[in-house]
Amino acid sequence: MIVNEEWKIKGYIDEPIPENIDLKAEIRRLCNEKNAVILAHYYTRGEIQDVADFVGDSLALAQQAEKTDADIIVMCGVHFMAETNKILCPDKIVLLPDLNAGCSLADSCPAEELAKYKEEHPEYKVIAYVNTSAAVKALTDVVVTSSNAREVVDSFPKDEKIIFAPDKNLGNYLNAVTGRSMMLWNGGCHVHEEFSVEKIVELKSLNPKAKVLAHPECKSGVLALADYVGSTAAILKFAQNDDCDTFIVATESGILHEMQKRCPQKTFIPVPPLSGTCACNECAYMRLNTLEKLYNCLKFEWPYVELDSAMRERAKLPIEKMLEISAKMNK
Ligand code: 13P
Ligand code: SF4
């Protein structure tokens, strides 16, 4: 198909949606017609999660992509997630409704800078968080997500010299729980870095019985106040299984959609940002996925993700290594 030049500049398709259509039903119809599967991250808008075939954290999304027999994968998440799918499924079309859906954490680790750092520290292994570009993954020994980071780090000998990139908060947390002193890249996520100790203390005093749940991308002061630290999937599971009925949630507020769905009788309080006036507890990149863009990208099969084949092959190795370790963890 011919890609409209205006779409290329915008990074998404903004063709008007036909009037009087049931957008969600049309999206499902296109999925059936084209043998497409919609994968969505927990941080996307509720209406996107509701129309998806599968909703999960970044590890579950990669595992799901690896096993799908669909011809088209629509990744409602951010760019690195679509790249991960393309690396695992090179023969499939991988669509991302808006190419502008980046990630501040992935951006904090440019591949050229990591390559230079590696050259300066040739004796170090590199462990990279999945929130990195394909070019960065191609430079690493193994990838981790927040669901399996601890086990992957533990799989290395105790005296192994390791560079952990790019999230310094997750790296600090891993150093603390594994007793290591990995060298940390100085990167961070603009959403998780905003959660403040003051706001959590304030919420705790108003809700003394509530438990605090935090994603390990939060700063150490926030993690120190948490009753439970885990990936989005782990936080969800904890909220479901724990007896407590009120939770203060220090991660992207999109996750409250699934929390409320799974536990309608429980109360979830999102930690607001320090200023209280912005929507900093929402990932602006994740919110770029809208039903309209999803419909248009399925209809026109654009924007899709493309990767250089040599880079894709090299980036596949550390992802496969991670998936292998994760599969062993679940046995
Ligand atoms: P999860 O690995 O918990 O899905 O987190 C991904 C992410 O982008 C967190 O900001
Ligand atoms: Fe990236 Fe942060 Fe958004 Fe997660 S929440 S996708 S780490 S910018």
Side-chain angles (χ1 to χ4, degrees):
M1 79 168 267
I2 298 164
V3 178
N4 181 321
E5 283 306 311
E6 261 183 55
W7 299 347
K8 274 198 202 162
I9 295 165
K10 288 188 171 133
Y12 63 91
I13 303 173
D14 60 354
E15 288 293 293
I17 305 296
E19 272 177 35
N20 303 326
I21 65 163
D22 175 343
L23 203 45
K24 284 188 182 169
E26 276 304 298
I27 288 170
R28 294 308 323 163
R29 187 188 61 73
L30 285 169
C31 280
N32 285 339
E33 188 183 297
K34 298 181 178 224
N35 189 27
V37 66
I38 301 174
L39 308 182
H41 191 271
Y42 289 126
Y43 293 167
T44 52
R45 296 163 188 271
E47 63 265 29
I48 294 281
Q49 297 185 41
D50 291 342
V51 82
D53 293 277
F54 181 83
V55 185
D57 69 352
S58 45
L59 175 63
L61 292 169
Q63 287 167 328
Q64 200 64 29
E66 200 194 22
K67 67 182 182 208
T68 185
D69 53 14
D71 297 313
I72 300 177
I73 298 173
V74 191
M75 184 63 238
C76 291
V78 293
H79 197 267
F80 77 80
M81 296 177 177
E83 279 190 341
T84 303
N85 294 345
K86 188 67 186 174
I87 292 165
L88 291 170
C89 315
D91 301 329
K92 297 190 191 297
I93 297 173
V94 178
L95 303 173
L96 180 69
D98 186 336
L99 287 177
N100 302 300
C103 167
S104 57
L105 181 50
D107 289 348
S108 68
C109 186
E112 320 76 65
E113 286 180 28
L114 180 64
K116 190 163 168 276
Y117 199 66
K118 262 184 70 161
E119 260 173 48
E120 290 161 5
H121 302 90
E123 71 281 27
Y124 280 71
K125 292 273 191 289
V126 180
I127 302 183
Y129 194 29
V130 71
N131 296 44
T132 43
S133 65
V136 164
K137 288 188 178 79
L139 293 168
T140 66
D141 293 283
V142 63
V143 164
V144 299
T145 75
S146 44
S147 276
N148 58 23
R150 188 175 179 167
E151 288 75 10
V152 174
V153 171
D154 276 341
S155 72
F156 282 83
K158 270 277 173 216
D159 56 352
E160 187 79 68
K161 289 188 164 118
I162 299 173
I163 296 168
F164 183 83
D167 191 78
K168 61 178 182 304
N169 295 328
L170 175 62
N172 266 320
Y173 171 73
L174 289 169
N175 274 343
V177 293
T178 63
R180 307 227 176 197
S181 33
M182 298 186 290
M183 254 187 347
L184 308 182
W185 193 263
N186 188 21
C189 155
H190 74 296
V191 178
H192 289 86
E193 294 242 295
E194 282 293 320
F195 295 122
S196 74
V197 166
E198 293 94 315
K199 288 282 177 187
I200 297 175
V201 170
E202 218 175 285
L203 285 170
K204 265 298 259 189
S205 69
L206 293 170
N207 306 275
K209 288 197 179 139
K211 284 191 177 168
V212 178
L213 310 177
H215 195 281
E217 286 174 26
C218 296
K219 288 181 181 164
S220 58
V222 168
L223 298 184
L225 290 176
D227 295 282
Y228 183 75
V229 177
S231 69
T232 45
I235 285 177
L236 268 166
K237 203 164 152 194
F238 183 90
Q240 250 181 313
N241 296 338
D242 196 76
D243 289 342
C244 186
D245 61 9
T246 307
F247 297 93
I248 295 166
V249 185
T251 191
E252 213 274 0
S253 58
I255 197 173
L256 267 75
H257 184 72
E258 183 66 19
M259 284 179 156
Q260 215 64 77
K261 240 187 191 173
R262 291 195 197 179
C263 315
Q265 76 290 3
K266 296 190 181 184
T267 304
F268 297 98
I269 307 166
V271 178
L274 191 58
S275 79
T277 51
C278 65
C280 304
N281 59 359
E282 291 182 2
C283 173
Y285 299 115
M286 289 279 185
R287 308 293 162 133
L288 289 177
N289 293 282
T290 62
L291 284 180
E292 289 76 13
K293 288 178 196 165
L294 171 56
Y295 169 80
N296 274 328
C297 96
L298 262 166
K299 182 172 169 188
F300 296 98
E301 297 180 24
W302 193 87
Y304 50 80
V305 171
E306 269 178 307
L307 289 170
D308 165 76
S309 62
M311 185 217 282
R312 201 187 62 220
E313 288 299 325
R314 176 60 186 87
K316 194 173 182 181
L317 305 176
I319 300 176
E320 281 182 338
K321 197 162 172 193
M322 167 189 81
L323 292 174
E324 248 170 61
I325 298 171
S326 286
K328 280 190 205 144
M329 268 165 62
N330 294 329
K331 270 188 187 156

